[in-house]
Amino acid sequence: MPGKLKAKIVAGRHLPVMDRASDLTDAFVEVKFGNTTFKTDVCPKSLNPQWNSEWFKFEVDDEDLQDEPLQITVLDHDTYSANDAIGKVYIDIDPLLYSEAASVISGWFPIYDTIHGIRGEINVIVKVELFNDLNRFRQSSCGVKFFCTTCIPQCYRATLVHGFVEELVVNEDPEYQWIDRIRTPRASNEARQRLISLMSGELQRKIGLKVLEMGGNAVVGYLQCFDLEGESGLVVRAIGTACTLDKLSSGSAPNTNTHMHPNTAPASNACNSPSKDGKEPVFVEDLPSSSGPPTPFRALPTSSSPPPFSPSKPCSRQSSSSDTDLSLTPKTEEPHSVRCRPGIFLCPSSPILSTDTLSLPGSGSVGCGRGSNPRATTSAPLSSIQSDSALLRKSVSFTEDLLLAASGMGSGGSAGKEAGPLRTLLRQQTQTALEQRGASSSGLLLNAREFPFFTLTSFPPGFLLHVGGVVSARSVKLLDRIHNPDEPETRDAWWEEIRQEIKSHARALGCHAVVGYSESTSICEEVCILSASGTAAILNPRYMREGCLDIGCTDHRFEEPSPPNCGFCHIPYDELNMPFPAQLTYCYHCRRQKVPDVLFTTIDLPSEAAVAGKGCLIQARLCRLKKKAQGEANATAISNLLPFMEYELHTQLMNKLKLRSMNALFGLHIQISVGENMLLGLASATGVYLTALPAPGGIQIAGKTPGDLSSEHISSIQKRINDTIAVNKELYQINPPKLFALDPEVFCGINMELAEEGVGSPIPEPRHRSRLFRSHSESSDELSELDLSHGKKDAFVLEIDDTDAVEDIHSLLIDAPPPTGFYSCNTENMPGISNWTSGVQMFTSVRVLRLSNANLTNQGLNKIFTDLCENLLKSFYFKLRSMIPCCLCHLNFTVAVPEEELIQVTVTAVAMTYDKEQTQEKTAEKPVNKGSLEAEEQLQFPLELCADSSSSNIQTASKISGVGESTNMSPRAASVDYGSFADRCSTWLELLRLKAHTIRRGSVKTSRRTQSLAHSVSSLERCSPLQEGRSRSLRSSRSFGGSSVTVVKMTPLSFLPGTRIIKYLGIINMFFIRETTSLREEGGVSGFLHSFIAEVFAMVRAHVAALGGNAVVSYSMKECVFMENPNKNQAQCLINVSGDAVICISETDQESSASTANTGQTGGSETDGAT
Amino acid sequence: MSVELDVFVGNTTIMDEEVYQLWLDGYTVNDAVKVRMEGGVMDECEASKDVLLSDTMDQYRTFQMCERLLHSPAKLANQLLFQIPPHRQIMLIERYYAFDDTFVREVLGKKLSKGTKKDLDDISAKTSVTLKSCRRQFDNFKRVFKVVEELKGPLVENIRQHFLLSDKLARDYAAIVFFANNRFETGKRKLQYLSFQDFAFCAGQLISNWTVGAVDNMVEDMDVDLDKEFLQELKELKILITDKDLLDQHKSLVCTALRGKTKVFIEMEGSFKNLSRGLINIAAKLTNTKDVRDFFIDLVEKFIEPCRSDRWSAADMKLYLTHYTNSAHILDTFKHQVVWDRYMGVVKSCIFKMYHD
């Protein structure tokens, strides 16, 4: 029996009045774990009860320790009627289960009730004694560390990266059980909270087991999500990256001994096969000829004209498609080829990933489509269909490519009934894939479930070699009741499909891995869109295990190491065999390798990347109306809309990027949300100018037919655009080095013809591609000519042919730049800013818009949605104006359509102040800082000695002054950051606490606790508030209040500026439900949600403080589901938050151990005096 | 199309002092937006009216949620719901408990009861302080009164520690509580010329000299009530006016000292007996609660008004009262020097404060 859990209930405070007659409460506490319950005595007539209970001991399996939360219920004793519940506290025991994290949970927790919110606080101490269990068949995975952080955690070193782990568990949603009709809302909410807590515990345990199997000890980039599928159940799923982490004193040194798991190997084998495949050029060559229309995107409406498929059709198709060899034949139907044609130009999420690439190397290299390939190459329409279906359905898998748009839905819709066939289908695929791989990679056995995916978004230097581009896949499914919770196979199969598709996309880009990988869902009624996206990449083979290294010798590029600041931009795919149209040039940095003209990724900007100017947030927003429909028809409609939405989002992103004169996007996140009568698309990314990539061309406006619109009009728009670009260049300080601007090698043969050819298509003309592919057979000398296509100045042309287009252009220009002093991004690091000061403000904002006008057009809707997002940003700037100069980092927008006419946008971000003066000379500044830190360390002692011998050399003197500045609360720091002054004041105390905490946990902290206890005792007795007051004033003659509440900072980033994380205390993963039946009384929907969000923050902070931490990093609000019924005066909200609890200390404080000891003494005596 | 829901919540609670003041002053959200627009915040961040409205709403909600905590400020420091930096907490409390002098002047000395609360709309109309703000201020008075009423020890200190107020504000509240407890009449027309600060000063004098706590602050009694024993002893002072010799002797001593030092000497000499009788009679009657209430009006009627009609300057007044007080010490047969000093010390400084237009 491997664990003993001990809990002690100490005291309560600020309890609500439960007895109207006496205005007091007779409180007692129930402590429950698993099926065991203990009770404290009743503490009569007090709002600040002192229970000081014995230790309640639970002897339990470590499996239960991982799954179950400790449940503490505070009740009001009632002699005559049932005891009234005051509220509950759920404590996740997990952080106590690994040795390096917290050893005790102790502190004040808000008592939470799902109907009334926070009602007082309770002081609890929890400990775990864990016995080692070496049973290898164990079900628990105690000891595996979890991190939400999507990089290697600060105080660790990754010795091994094992790869992707995923798991999902399903259950019935208590809200939809029959019993829910007879129980109270409170009981129902609590059942749900408890269930989700249990499920996420179980999920974490299962993932942990997988990690142990792989030989790892940690999960980094752990992303857990809930799918509230309503009637059909509740899904909790998680993905992460399994690693073996070593604790470090500082920084991470991945170069030593870092390996990749072997599962990356087969993929990398695959990546070089396309180039060998002689069929492909032929195949591609056909495409341009058939893709004649210069404005493919205008052609779309006609393409969607073919009648929708009958629901029965896809089903039959599906069954036929399981026969892989025959699969391609049905596609030759004429109508399909018509509608497919434009599909070729639709880029699902990035220019890098044009759809036809999906089918082409995917089928070519992996060879799943197998015998069909030759057939495809002989018939042009056929091949285009293939590509189209891959794109339109976004649903997956080579064999299924053959299914038409509707069938993507069909497979989902029939999943309940036809899960069997689907599974076999998948198995067949993986089987073939396996065989294929087996042949090529010397019989390396592979689990088909493993994917070379990494949820990390930033990597140690040298890890990431090349980045291909964004890969994404979506699938529309019809939800069906989950019949057997123990076999979540349907959901598993769905995700497996998607992952397979992602994997094949990555391979198509010549990449063996997908980084910055994430998965999400959007559910409306019974329709569910599953999405996955990531960035195809090549990781350094040096860090991989032996046996996978064959990838290295096939590619000459690995022989000479690429320069770190541009290497990742170099194309990973074969330039002669480009999987999609792109304009390549020689790298503007090293001139040795080819780079694309733009780069889209889902990862963070690599720290070593060379960047000009600053980055900025770029968003594309889109609304699409759809008809209300049910079941499969609805799913068909949605899957038909998806590709158009992705295309348009992509076009918007591209235009906005050009408008800002930038050439790369990082942290790209595209969310498509489904509602009853519309789809919402929101793409966010951080634009940046990579100096390795060519300068972006401008945007050129052209009228389709000269007579249509007056040329003056066009030229006025053109002027506005040019002005905007100029302004933005100035704003983001984009002055790229003109290093190669006149380099003949790059610009020798600017081909003006090509420039003209480019007109009319926002995406590079297919003809370029055809030339490119043809050139495969030409000599390499002529290749340079091809690059030059890029040289034309305005590669990007917007065509105005109707009023819609004018609207689109106007909407482009609507995006207001942030006010002076503000920057914004959605990534971990703000490109161009690194000198953060200590001001940090994390915030969450929710806005719901009601569309009153029933007959809105797409255009009108777009405008409303765009305004909504823009206004939110403006609000943030205004609210945070006191922090200027500041940057909004990690702006994370989530959109939802909670009801028919509602649009909800939820934003979580952090505002961080930075030092404006130092911005320009940041590179120079850094070493100086470091120097002063070293000096500080060295001079800590000599400082006094030097004092009298003032004739010491100037250098030392300056150093000393530097030290003084950083150690003392310097006037400079105060002037830089107003808010930081108070922070700094408390830092000393905090530091003292933390030191005590980490070195000898308990000693100083206990005294602090007794002090606060004494505090509450006195206020309880109420006869001696004077004493209380006096002791307070004694304790805090200068700092007011003597607050006993630890300041807990929160940030969605993995770091806190100016601090160093010295310890990770465990993952915070909390789920809350709040409901009200008195909405008006609580201040309406806004009042209700405002207090709920504040309560959630408070509970997160309390849990972190109880673990001994002082900050939450990588914080995110993953779910915020809000439902209201104003007529009934009711509302309900569900919030799920997660993050890593950490102890961080100020960078300036950590070296000064001597002064810490001093503060420790004074602080100690101070607290002693108080108690 | 309408914004159904709009919230912004920061981990560190965001508060704008300007908006806080508008909220405290009882402005509606729309009025507050107008004021802010006129104030020019819009230019700062290229904000629009919508942005301002949204921000104001957020802050108003925050303040409303904080209000519960502000009712017992000690909670603000150890509550978990809002993370507010200490200096902000001080600001919040101090401003919340701040009041308008014009408003407090109206309720000063009144019973802090429901009845008075009902009259607040009249007071609001009269003082042009919004009703909402009036209510907050009134409730503050009441809350402080209720808490402090039962406590031992020095009044000001109790208020300061229980409500975490600054010394100045705590003293003002002590005055308000003291006035409310003793129900001093301040509303009469003749007293209208006096400001709250005048009264607050007087209250401070009374609290520190005439209450039980004034003599011995370790004694376990309340600071809000006047020292009964002392009030009894005040009756003894009557001898100064009932004993004809003593009265004459006192007068001659004062007149000798004053002669040639003031322009209104004739008037002083003439009204000595009246004034002395006035002051001593006030003292003698203070055992009656009714007369305690009239203390200030008596001071004005019996002393300040006669002097003013004789056109004494403030300096004359000071001179007169100083000599009046000191001369009593020289009187051989007058044995109640301690009581006299305790009485006259307060009366003198009160009159100094109250003697203006």
Side-chain angles (χ1 to χ4, degrees), chain A residues 83 130 156 377 600 823 1019 1088:
Chain A
N83 298 328
L130 208 59
Y156 290 93
T377 52
F600 285 16
Y823 289 98
S1019 61
F1088 170 71

Side-chain angles (χ1 to χ4, degrees), chain A residues 55 125 140 280 612 805 928:
Chain A
W55 284 100
I125 307 174
S140 81
E280 252 136 70
V928 172

Side-chain angles (χ1 to χ4, degrees), chain A residues 714-938:
Chain A
I714 287 173
S715 63
S716 80
I717 295 177
Q718 180 72 62
K719 188 176 178 306
R720 271 181 69 196
I721 286 181
N722 292 347
D723 289 350
T724 314
I725 292 177
V727 166
N728 280 332
K729 263 191 179 169
E730 185 91 355
L731 186 66
Y732 301 111
Q733 298 158 11
I734 297 172
N735 307 304
K738 296 268 187 263
L739 215 56
F740 298 111
L742 297 172
D743 195 308
E745 194 182 326
V746 180
F747 283 107
C748 61
I750 292 176
N751 188 336
M752 294 314 284
E753 281 171 39
L754 273 178
E756 262 129 58
E757 277 176 321
V759 173
S761 166
I763 293 180
E765 193 51 20
R767 242 165 286 178
H768 299 187
R769 195 178 36 175
S770 72
R771 292 183 68 126
L772 188 79
F773 281 107
R774 232 179 279 131
S775 69
H776 178 50
S777 54
E778 290 168 351
S779 75
S780 60
D781 287 343
E782 277 166 300
L783 276 178
S784 63
E785 185 209 9
L786 287 165
D787 301 335
L788 311 175
S789 62
H790 155 76
K792 70 193 155 88
K793 275 186 184 129
D794 291 322
F796 225 71
V797 178
L798 288 181
E799 187 169 291
I800 299 185
D801 54 357
D802 58 10
T803 43
D804 282 6
V806 177
E807 281 290 313
D808 284 346
I809 290 168
H810 277 302
S811 69
L812 266 188
L813 296 165
I814 280 177
D815 286 12
T820 346
F822 272 109
Y823 289 98
S824 56
C825 66
N826 74 334
T827 47
E828 286 264 316
N829 299 305
M830 171 66 192
I833 298 179
S834 58
N835 43 316
W836 304 110
T837 50
S838 63
V840 171
Q841 172 67 276
M842 189 281 294
F843 61 87
T844 290
S845 182
V846 182
R847 214 171 261 198
V848 177
L849 208 64
R850 183 174 288 280
L851 308 163
S852 51
N853 192 353
N855 41 355
L856 273 168
T857 59
N858 275 337
Q859 292 286 353
L861 218 50
N862 276 345
K863 173 99 172 61
I864 289 169
F865 184 39
T866 305
D867 286 349
L868 175 59
C869 295
E870 282 291 309
N871 288 338
L872 265 172
L873 283 170
K874 278 183 198 155
S875 266
F876 301 156
Y877 297 139
F878 180 73
K879 273 183 186 292
L880 300 163
R881 64 194 186 284
S882 63
M883 293 179 80
I884 287 177
C886 111
C887 176
L888 302 187
C889 294
H890 214 285
L891 270 164
N892 183 17
F893 280 65
T894 13
V895 290
V897 192
E899 274 173 52
E900 197 174 319
E901 287 181 333
L902 296 184
I903 297 179
Q904 178 188 328
V905 179
T906 310
V907 188
T908 298
V910 63
M912 301 206 290
T913 54
Y914 63 92
D915 192 345
K916 206 168 188 176
E917 269 67 65
Q918 292 175 7
T919 319
Q920 275 76 18
E921 5 152 23
K922 53 164 184 177
T923 39
E925 191 68 21
K926 279 222 160 172
V928 172
N929 268 342
K930 210 174 244 171
S932 80
L933 278 180
E934 281 162 16
E936 184 180 343
E937 197 169 34
Q938 290 156 5

Side-chain angles (χ1 to χ4, degrees), chain B residues 262-272 274-275 303-313 316 355:
Chain B
T262 167
K263 287 175 187 165
V264 289
F265 178 69
I266 312 290
E267 288 86 344
M268 281 182 181
E269 196 175 25
S271 53
F272 178 86
N274 262 341
L275 292 177
F303 194 89
I304 293 172
E305 281 186 342
C307 299
R308 205 182 286 155
S309 63
D310 284 343
R311 299 179 184 285
W312 294 20
S313 70
D316 295 334
Y355 196 77

Side-chain angles (χ1 to χ4, degrees), chain A residues 841-842 848 850 852 879 1124, chain B residues 1-2 4 11-12 55:
Chain A
Q841 172 67 276
M842 189 281 294
V848 177
R850 183 174 288 280
S852 51
K879 273 183 186 292
E1124 56 163 334
Chain B
M1 191 192 70
S2 58
E4 179 96 359
N11 182 37
T12 304
D55 179 57

